Amino acid sequence: MIYKFTVLYPVHDGVEIKKIIKSVKSIIYNSITPNEILIMIDGKISVEKELFFKKIKKKFSYIKVIHNQKIGLSKILNKGLFLAKYEIIFRADSDDYNTKDRFKKQIDYFVKKKLDIMGCFLIENYGKKKFIRKTPKYPNFLLSTIINPINHMTVVFRKNSIIKLRGYPDIEYKEDMALWIKSLARGLNIENMEKPLVETDVDKIQYQKRKNYVSIISEFKLLRFNNSLIWY
């Protein structure tokens, strides 16, 4: 059976054009083609990137390019969530690459298991070295407050399940983790495939971002958010 789905693709000007091109190609030329790709642009981007998005929008009728003021990732994702035409939504990031059969493998499993949210393992490239970032097959609430239960760039979910939760919480750098925790607290059916179907490059700058001041503040906000769910 063929299932229709949307790919939600947020992008900002901080990502190199060569990574964006490689990322978009990994979506367009996947083994099954999305029925809709929503490219959600957060703020101003370079002319080079504008021309690239204009070109692919013209070439592929199922691609929609939505320009926004600089509003941040959680708001961009929530806007895309409501604009998405189809119930099944895949996340794809502009600096990550999807393996050839990602959509087919995930959507078959996702529908068969009647899941609300599903992720998978992630291939992380540190220069010439590759590592697999694994996630638990069956995430649980208590563990998820300590360790991220889902690799966000690998996720597929049901639109209405996320809308019922009011979408992504507005916690900078932690909006994904906050959503997974909230989903687990509300009893959504969540699982991870034990296969690496998405690949990402990790550099020193990204690693440092995980440790900077804003990230630390976000950790405290996430902790308060977790506590509010525990006592809900």
Side-chain angles (χ1 to χ4, degrees):
M1 185 178 291
I2 298 174
Y3 304 101
K4 294 186 176 182
F5 64 95
T6 294
V7 172
L8 182 54
Y9 187 90
V11 63
H12 58 84
D13 200 38
V15 182
E16 297 175 23
I17 183 65
K18 65 179 182 180
K19 288 189 175 184
I20 291 175
I21 292 171
K22 183 178 177 180
S23 172
V24 169
K25 284 183 176 179
S26 77
I27 297 171
I28 293 172
Y29 300 112
N30 219 271
S31 60
I32 55 173
T33 305
N35 302 94
E36 177 182 56
I37 301 175
L38 280 181
I39 297 175
M40 304 295 295
I41 299 176
D42 188 20
K44 293 181 180 179
I45 57 174
S46 67
V47 173
E48 186 180 26
K49 290 165 190 167
E50 286 282 9
L51 290 174
F52 171 69
F53 288 131
K54 185 177 181 180
K55 179 181 177 181
I56 60 169
K57 181 183 176 182
K58 185 177 181 180
K59 186 174 180 179
F60 302 99
S61 60
Y62 55 85
I63 292 179
K64 298 176 184 177
V65 180
I66 313 296
H67 289 81
N68 305 272
Q69 293 181 340
K70 187 70 175 176
I71 57 177
L73 182 59
S74 60
K75 291 183 175 66
I76 281 288
L77 291 171
N78 286 332
K79 184 174 180 180
L81 181 64
F82 280 93
L83 290 174
K85 186 175 180 180
Y86 300 103
E87 171 66 7
I88 297 176
I89 299 177
F90 280 83
R91 273 283 303 276
D93 279 2
S94 56
D95 53 355
D96 301 316
Y97 323 116
N98 303 280
T99 59
K100 186 69 176 178
D101 295 320
R102 179 202 169 184
F103 300 140
K104 176 171 175 48
K105 287 180 178 177
Q106 281 194 291
I107 205 166
D108 287 346
Y109 190 92
F110 180 78
V111 174
K112 180 181 178 181
K113 297 296 289 287
K114 298 180 180 179
L115 299 172
D116 294 297
I117 301 172
M118 187 182 77
C120 65
F121 291 174
L122 176 70
I123 303 167
E124 289 189 330
N125 298 321
Y126 292 83
K128 294 182 179 180
K129 295 182 178 180
K130 292 180 181 288
F131 299 91
I132 305 296
R133 186 195 286 182
K134 297 182 178 181
T135 43
K137 184 175 177 64
Y138 302 107
N140 67 75
F141 175 76
L142 290 178
L143 187 60
S144 70
T145 61
I146 304 170
I147 301 172
N148 197 342
I150 301 174
N151 295 316
H152 70 268
M153 64 285 283
T154 73
V155 78
V156 52
F157 52 65
R158 295 187 187 276
K159 174 178 177 174
N160 287 325
S161 296
I162 305 303
I163 286 177
K164 286 177 182 177
L165 297 177
R166 299 182 181 179
Y168 284 82
D170 191 14
I171 303 176
E172 191 174 12
Y173 297 131
K174 302 295 178 181
E175 51 277 303
D176 293 293
M177 190 168 179
L179 179 59
W180 314 145
I181 292 169
K182 189 175 184 180
S183 301
L184 287 164
R186 299 295 184 268
L188 267 62
N189 195 7
I190 303 174
E191 195 170 321
N192 282 304
M193 280 189 77
E194 296 176 306
K195 294 180 180 180
L197 300 175
V198 180
E199 190 167 345
T200 187
D201 297 327
V202 180
D203 56 30
K204 290 181 180 179
I205 295 174
Q206 285 175 293
Y207 184 75
Q208 288 300 322
K209 279 182 178 179
R210 295 176 182 177
K211 294 185 173 184
N212 68 16
Y213 175 76
V214 177
S215 182
I216 292 170
I217 294 299
S218 296
E219 291 282 0
F220 281 107
K221 289 181 179 178
L222 184 63
L223 181 61
R224 290 175 61 188
F225 180 78
N226 293 347
N227 289 337
S228 71
L229 292 175
I230 291 171
W231 297 107
Y232 177 78

